[in-house]
Amino acid sequence: MKFFYVALLLYAFFSSAYSQQRQSDISHHLTRKLATYVDSMRLKHSQAGILVHVYKPGVIDWNYANGLADIDSLIPAKPDMHYRIASISKLFCATAVLKLASAGSLTLDDPISKWLPSKFISKIANGDKITIRNLLNHTSGIYELQGSEIDPLNDSTDYSMVLPELIAGMKQTAGYSNFFYSSSNYILLAEIIKKASKMSYGDYIRSAILEPFNLSHTYVATLPVKNRFKGYIPSLYLKKYADTVKVSLIDASDFNMSFHLGAADISSSTSDLIKFYYELHEGKIIPKNLVNEMFGETVASNRPSKRYGLGTMLFEHNGLTVVHGHIGQAAGYKNILAKNQLTNTYIAISFNLFHISDKILLEMMFGLNDIMEE
């Protein structure tokens, strides 16, 4: 096994890294520095692969990959591959809520009791007080879903049908109006989107966001087999392998993510994510006033970010809170989508290895930002 991993590392090191440069005037020196930095971070922190997209309008549109997309078949990573974006899905869910608000279908200050069945509201602590806004900025007090009935390795069950009941049955509460990051908030937002749009969650995301903006490599609740950037989890993180002495990397690409509908269910490519985030900031998906509210109305956060908006994290860089986006970790991936407001630079990163830390991910994102500012 040791020989296998040595061979794996050597192959990843010597395998070709793919780069797509879409503008003829891109500085070769800049792209070489970016590639060298990405390669070094990947070799240092992951025996699998990495996807990176850096976009600065009028300056650079650089899509890159290094390492392996499939460690068993030794398939190299390619820039246009699909992966699970994990909690970056919350940006899509929040955008969908704000789009419904712009159409007058709901308001952010609607109590959730207006949209969810009373039998669930009565079981949720402070259920009569919680608003849609509380769900968006994680101040509802609703705890992270801890359902023993959920088995991510079971891909034949649609858990989205029982999620509200499971959430309502939880006894824990973080206290109303206190920030507590919980995917349960976005699972409930997905339920509200269904009611307000009179469509399934996936159908609304597709019709309101994906199709109008030609996000043809973005999918709800599925990860295409073709062109897949496989995600891996060390076996020690999974109960099924808890008694196994030997630690191995488990392919988590087919994990059932229906239990995180609205919170971590979407798969995409780095190019599609950059396109989505750019169109969002340009006010093309939702009106500019709601974009400003999304990123401007924030609460203090205990996450890696300093503050949290309406579905978005705000990060401090060089003493200024000027970078915002979202981190995502689930089903074998560690990802980030971000924009530096000062430099107008968009960055998407995906490691296909679960245990990459927030610290490493942010270090890399800020490192790419710094290279762009040189």
Side-chain angles (χ1 to χ4, degrees):
M1 181 55 70
K2 183 180 291 185
F3 173 80
F4 171 77
Y5 279 109
V6 170
L8 189 66
L9 288 168
L10 287 173
Y11 180 88
F13 180 80
F14 289 110
S15 65
S16 297
Y18 292 75
S19 178
Q20 297 172 350
Q21 299 178 3
R22 299 190 182 92
Q23 292 176 226
S24 59
D25 61 344
I26 293 175
S27 164
H28 178 67
H29 175 70
L30 175 59
T31 57
R32 188 174 62 219
K33 287 194 72 171
L34 290 169
T36 299
Y37 179 70
V38 171
D39 294 351
S40 66
M41 290 294 285
R42 205 280 303 165
L43 283 168
K44 185 177 180 181
H45 298 295
S46 173
Q47 64 265 53
I50 190 169
L51 308 179
V52 178
H53 195 143
V54 178
Y55 174 60
K56 184 172 183 177
V59 177
I60 187 171
D61 188 0
W62 183 75
N63 202 1
Y64 188 77
N66 181 274
L68 297 172
D70 183 331
I71 64 174
D72 297 313
S73 302
L74 298 179
I75 297 174
K78 297 181 181 179
D80 61 348
M81 284 182 157
H82 306 120
Y83 62 97
R84 293 192 185 276
I85 68 173
S87 283
I88 297 172
S89 302
K90 292 179 174 68
L91 275 168
F92 284 83
C93 185
T95 300
V97 170
L98 292 169
K99 195 166 184 67
L100 286 167
S102 71
S105 300
L106 53 76
T107 75
L108 302 190
D109 295 315
D110 282 350
I112 62 173
S113 58
K114 179 178 178 179
W115 297 102
L116 300 176
S118 58
K119 65 178 181 178
F120 299 139
I121 298 298
S122 62
K123 295 178 183 179
I124 295 174
N126 300 299
D128 58 330
K129 297 180 182 178
I130 297 169
T131 66
I132 290 176
R133 192 183 303 275
N134 291 135
L135 297 181
L136 284 167
N137 64 15
H138 297 287
T139 57
S140 69
I142 298 174
Y143 225 71
E144 187 74 39
L145 181 62
Q146 304 288 334
S148 59
E149 301 90 341
I150 293 173
D151 177 12
L153 296 174
N154 175 5
D155 61 0
S156 62
T157 301
D158 182 2
Y159 290 110
S160 66
M161 306 302 291
V162 298
L163 290 176
E165 187 172 350
L166 291 175
I167 292 170
M170 294 189 299
K171 303 301 181 185
Q172 306 100 318
T173 177
Y176 175 70
S177 80
N178 295 323
F179 179 87
F180 183 82
Y181 185 89
S182 170
S183 288
S184 298
N185 291 305
Y186 279 74
I187 292 169
L188 294 181
L189 284 171
E191 292 298 312
I192 292 172
I193 289 169
K194 291 180 192 177
K195 297 288 178 60
S197 67
K198 298 181 175 61
M199 301 170 70
S200 73
Y201 177 73
D203 283 348
Y204 184 72
I205 293 294
R206 282 185 284 271
S207 65
I209 301 174
L210 306 188
E211 292 169 2
F213 296 95
N214 195 30
L215 301 176
S216 57
H217 297 284
T218 302
Y219 309 87
V220 180
T222 188
L223 177 63
V225 173
K226 185 179 180 181
N227 212 27
R228 177 181 286 188
F229 189 54
K230 288 188 175 183
Y232 295 91
I233 297 180
S235 55
L236 57 87
Y237 287 93
L238 300 171
K239 290 181 181 179
K240 180 179 179 179
Y241 303 94
D243 298 328
T244 305
V245 175
K246 183 177 64 176
V247 177
S248 57
L249 292 180
I250 307 301
D251 179 3
S253 307
D254 288 317
F255 271 25
N256 187 342
M257 295 304 292
S258 67
F259 72 96
H260 265 179
L261 191 72
D265 59 310
I266 290 176
S267 62
S268 190
S269 65
T270 55
S271 292
D272 258 24
L273 286 184
I274 294 291
K275 185 191 298 184
F276 160 71
Y277 214 36
Y278 175 76
E279 299 287 7
L280 177 63
H281 279 277
E282 290 295 297
K284 295 180 180 178
I285 303 179
I286 56 175
K288 267 286 190 180
N289 66 305
L290 288 177
V291 174
N292 294 337
E293 189 171 357
M294 188 178 195
F295 297 103
E297 183 185 297
T298 64
V299 295
S301 164
N302 58 8
R303 297 294 291 179
S305 58
K306 290 292 183 180
R307 302 190 68 80
Y308 199 94
L310 303 181
T312 183
M313 297 175 171
L314 281 80
F315 306 100
E316 186 176 283
H317 184 45
N318 295 332
L320 299 172
T321 310
V322 295
V323 179
H324 52 64
H326 216 290
I327 286 174
Q329 174 177 291
Y333 302 94
K334 192 61 178 260
N335 317 307
I336 192 168
L337 174 64
K339 179 190 178 185
N340 186 318
Q341 290 284 77
L342 288 183
T343 63
N344 197 31
T345 301
Y346 296 79
I347 293 174
I349 302 170
S350 179
F351 283 97
N352 58 343
L353 197 59
F354 174 78
H355 67 274
I356 302 295
S357 69
D358 290 338
K359 182 179 179 181
I360 291 170
L361 192 66
L362 290 173
E363 176 189 345
M364 183 166 186
M365 187 263 290
F366 290 140
L368 291 169
N369 264 299
D370 289 342
I371 291 171
M372 289 297 298
E373 292 178 43
E374 290 176 359

